[in-house]
Amino acid sequence: MQSITVAINDLFEFEGQAIPASKPENALLEVMVRRQFSFLPQPLAIQIGVDSVTVSFAEESSAAQQEAVRLAGRAGKRAADGNYQKAIGILKRALELQPTLHLARRDLAMAYVASGDFDNAKNHLIEILRLNAKDHWSWVTLANLYAKNFDDFDTAEKFLRRALALSLDDPWALNSLGAVLLERGLPEDAARIFQRAISAKPEVANPYYGLALTYCKSNQLELASETLSNFFAHGRMQDSRSIQVFANARALFVDIQTSLAERHHAAATEAVEKLRVEMEQLSGYPVRVSYEDFQEKVGASIQMAWKHRRDYHLIRCRKSFPERLMPHLLAHELEHVRLESNARRAGKNRLFVSSANTREVAIRSMGDDIVRLQKRGHSESSITDVVLNLVQRAGLHLLNCPVDMIIETSMRNSMPSLSAAQFLSVRLLALEAWEADNNTANRERTPGLILRSTLALNGAYALFLDDLFRGATSYASNYRKLETFAMSEKLFRHWQTRFPQLSHGDEYAVVDDFASMLGLKDWYEWNADSGA
């Protein structure tokens, strides 16, 4: 014989009734017990105590138990494939053989949830608790069902507090309780519960997201941003359900940064103006800014006074770029002034140039691609123009990739008022880069070596951004499926190794390192900066 002991108060709890002030008559209790435990093997032997009831029943045969376990395993495979109706049928058969098989009843409840049958899910969760009222997992799951599918937050909170009485610091129970309190309009209480959940198990991501939402509702956007940054730094994928949580958190982070960029626009503009004055003093030249329509999707570029034989630096910005993000573009180009000015003072500045020899080397390395273009009917002059343009762009890409990594890292650490605009600006540029990289027409008309270097460099920069923003982005996921991603990882690892030891002018050596890895070492030359 098997036996189960259940508290008399729980009999009323399971039926959604108020707990009576005094113990009911035994006859009434026996009727409730027989109704609630009708799924067990019959007949039942019932013994009523002072505050609990013991139910005894015949144990299933070993053959029945073995078959039930086998069927439960088979149903699990069906559920994993998304065939919940098939899983439900198999699990029901398993429970006919062994009604007390906890695993099968739990999986049946979850299969009903997945298939949208919340009433049956609720009934089976309650049956699990009838068999073992100390199963805190079922209290949490049942509470979530009441909150999400029945909008019954009072009952959900009551069940979650039952779960926490059994497992004081269970992060999932705490997270669910925080969400319920937030729904009930108690943000301060919700925040305390989410913080408790984070302290209990920092690697569980969900409470960070709940806490960030709580801060958003009270317009504490800086705290919300900081909380999500901690989410990305410490939260870990628990199972497949975490994928959506991370996606939601990243989307929320973008929304928060958008609001913060608007909020801090004036401060960011002021900081950039101070930076401009500083860079004019450092370089010895004034800085002018023009806003233009570019054919290419370039955010901004700078023409250094000493390279263009002018008495001023000229920053050219994309006119159509969002105004709230413009401070980042300006600051980025001003940081180019800092790098080159410091390199000049150290006597280590160099000019990245293309010559007839380097262009010839580049063109020879693309012989097969040129033949392919000729076969398609392109004229020799048009091929030459296209190839030379692509070579020039590939060279600039090679030069800027490691340098931009230095600049963005410096800005992230030194210009906090610009952090939101920086995040959104590089996000826009990274998405545009992937759109171009993923364009079939672009790939078909780009010579193989240039295409591979472009994808490798953009993949390395995507890895850099994901690292810079502590996982708040997942740009590198687009490049992981490409054959060039191994090179992207190699480039980024090399930059990580070199960056901490870089001094003024050393960035050019990193460019050379990248070029060697990519097979582009002879595509450019360095000229000494005369200092004029």
Side-chain angles (χ1 to χ4, degrees):
M1 295 288 287
Q2 285 185 288
S3 62
I4 296 168
T5 299
V6 59
I8 290 174
N9 286 349
D10 282 345
L11 295 174
F12 290 89
E13 190 88 82
F14 293 146
E15 293 196 352
Q17 298 183 34
I19 297 173
S22 58
K23 179 184 175 182
E25 295 181 0
N26 287 357
L28 174 61
L29 292 174
E30 183 171 341
V31 170
M32 291 183 71
V33 170
R34 292 193 182 280
R35 180 172 64 249
Q36 292 187 22
F37 289 89
S38 60
F39 62 92
L40 293 176
Q42 303 297 313
L44 303 178
I46 299 172
Q47 184 177 356
I48 300 174
V50 177
D51 56 9
S52 64
V53 175
T54 299
V55 183
S56 301
F57 51 93
E59 187 173 6
E60 303 90 346
S61 69
S62 59
Q65 291 181 24
Q66 290 175 7
E67 178 64 7
V69 170
R70 187 189 72 80
L71 290 171
R74 183 178 157 199
K77 294 178 181 178
R78 296 291 183 272
D81 293 336
N83 192 345
Y84 298 111
Q85 292 305 319
K86 188 69 174 177
I88 287 169
I90 298 172
L91 289 166
K92 288 169 73 173
R93 173 59 183 151
L95 289 172
E96 288 174 1
L97 294 168
Q98 187 182 357
T100 57
L101 184 56
H102 178 91
L103 174 65
R105 198 169 295 280
R106 184 195 68 186
D107 287 351
L108 180 57
M110 299 315 295
Y112 275 127
V113 170
S115 62
D117 189 343
F118 304 120
D119 287 324
N120 265 318
K122 176 183 70 174
N123 293 337
H124 282 284
L125 287 169
I126 290 173
E127 286 182 354
I128 293 172
L129 291 168
R130 284 173 179 147
L131 294 170
N132 179 15
K134 293 184 178 180
D135 183 348
H136 85 280
W137 176 88
S138 293
W139 284 114
V140 174
T141 307
L142 186 60
N144 288 337
L145 203 64
Y146 271 91
K148 296 177 182 177
N149 303 109
F150 300 111
D151 293 328
D152 187 345
F153 300 110
D154 290 340
T155 300
E157 180 180 349
K158 180 171 62 175
F159 288 167
L160 288 166
R161 295 196 183 279
R162 282 288 299 263
L164 289 167
L166 295 166
S167 182
L168 183 63
D169 290 321
D170 179 81
W172 299 107
L174 288 168
N175 178 71
S176 295
L177 179 58
V180 166
L181 292 173
L182 186 59
E183 288 287 348
R184 295 187 64 190
L186 301 169
E188 293 182 1
D189 293 341
R192 282 193 291 270
I193 294 296
F194 284 129
Q195 290 163 349
R196 183 175 151 194
I198 292 168
S199 297
K201 200 166 186 179
E203 65 269 24
V204 176
N206 301 57
Y208 294 98
Y209 180 63
L211 182 58
L213 283 174
T214 303
Y215 285 139
C216 284
K217 289 203 171 186
S218 55
N219 203 30
Q220 300 180 79
L221 297 183
E222 282 82 2
L223 284 175
S225 179
E226 179 184 350
T227 299
L228 286 181
S229 292
N230 289 330
F231 171 111
F232 301 121
H234 304 296
R236 298 291 177 266
M237 288 277 186
Q238 303 296 318
D239 52 38
S240 59
R241 291 170 295 180
S242 299
I243 296 174
Q244 189 58 51
V245 177
F246 272 76
N248 291 343
R250 288 186 173 119
L252 179 61
F253 194 74
V254 172
D255 291 341
I256 292 170
Q257 301 314 306
T258 301
S259 298
L260 287 176
E262 295 283 0
R263 181 180 292 183
H264 296 156
H265 181 66
T269 301
E270 182 180 351
V272 171
E273 184 57 31
K274 289 181 180 178
L275 179 63
R276 175 158 76 165
V277 172
E278 180 187 349
M279 292 305 101
E280 288 178 340
Q281 293 173 347
L282 177 66
S283 69
Y285 294 90
V287 177
R288 298 181 186 177
V289 180
S290 70
Y291 298 91
E292 306 173 25
D293 292 318
F294 298 143
Q295 289 184 345
E296 304 293 336
K297 286 194 173 181
V298 176
S301 64
I302 186 165
Q303 296 176 351
M304 298 294 182
W306 44 78
K307 289 180 181 177
H308 290 266
R309 299 185 178 183
R310 295 196 188 110
D311 58 359
Y312 60 90
H313 306 299
L314 177 63
I315 296 177
R316 303 170 64 215
C317 294
R318 190 202 302 180
K319 185 189 298 184
S320 61
F321 212 71
E323 183 180 356
R324 66 176 178 273
L325 309 185
M326 199 64 75
H328 168 258
L329 293 186
L330 294 170
H332 182 100
E333 301 309 319
L334 289 168
E335 288 296 334
H336 275 287
V337 176
R338 185 195 301 277
L339 284 178
E340 289 206 26
S341 296
N342 285 332
R344 294 187 101 210
R345 291 190 171 196
K348 295 169 65 176
N349 196 42
R350 290 188 281 174
L351 307 181
F352 186 94
V353 298
S354 171
S355 68
N357 288 336
T358 62
R359 288 192 290 271
E360 182 179 355
V361 169
I363 291 172
R364 283 180 180 176
S365 68
M366 293 182 286
D368 292 341
D369 297 290
I370 292 173
V371 170
R372 175 169 53 86
L373 292 172
Q374 289 172 337
K375 288 181 177 179
R376 292 183 178 180
H378 296 282
S379 67
E380 184 174 341
S381 60
S382 67
I383 293 173
T384 300
D385 290 342
V386 168
V387 170
L388 288 177
N389 179 261
L390 290 172
V391 168
Q392 181 184 25
R393 289 169 57 187
L396 290 174
H397 193 189
L398 171 66
L399 172 65
N400 285 322
C401 183
V403 174
D404 286 350
M405 291 178 180
I406 296 170
I407 288 174
E408 294 299 338
T409 302
S410 174
M411 289 171 58
R412 193 70 177 167
N413 296 330
S414 63
M415 301 189 74
S417 64
L418 207 63
S419 61
Q422 178 190 24
F423 174 84
L424 295 169
S425 179
V426 297
R427 176 178 183 271
L428 176 57
L429 296 172
L431 294 176
E432 288 179 348
W434 171 246
E435 182 181 2
D437 290 342
N438 197 41
N439 185 289
T440 302
N442 285 348
R443 292 194 184 191
E444 288 180 349
R445 63 173 171 254
T446 303
L449 183 55
I450 292 180
L451 177 62
R452 288 191 296 274
S453 68
T454 298
L455 295 175
L457 287 168
N458 283 343
Y461 198 68
L463 285 166
F464 161 75
L465 292 177
D466 291 347
D467 181 70
L468 181 68
F469 298 120
R470 304 172 67 194
T473 61
S474 59
Y475 304 134
S477 62
N478 290 325
Y479 294 89
R480 288 185 186 279
K481 57 194 173 187
L482 305 179
E483 62 180 15
T484 54
F485 191 68
M487 177 57 70
S488 296
E489 292 180 306
K490 184 178 178 181
L491 292 168
F492 178 56
R493 285 195 301 268
H494 183 74
W495 183 86
Q496 286 181 305
T497 302
R498 291 296 311 273
F499 174 68
Q501 288 81 37
L502 294 179
S503 59
H504 299 324
D506 288 350
E507 58 269 21
Y508 303 125
V510 182
V511 174
D512 285 340
D513 294 340
F514 275 29
S516 295
M517 295 179 197
L518 294 167
L520 305 179
K521 189 67 175 67
D522 298 322
W523 283 34
Y524 61 92
E525 294 174 352
W526 292 112
N527 283 353
D529 184 348
S530 65

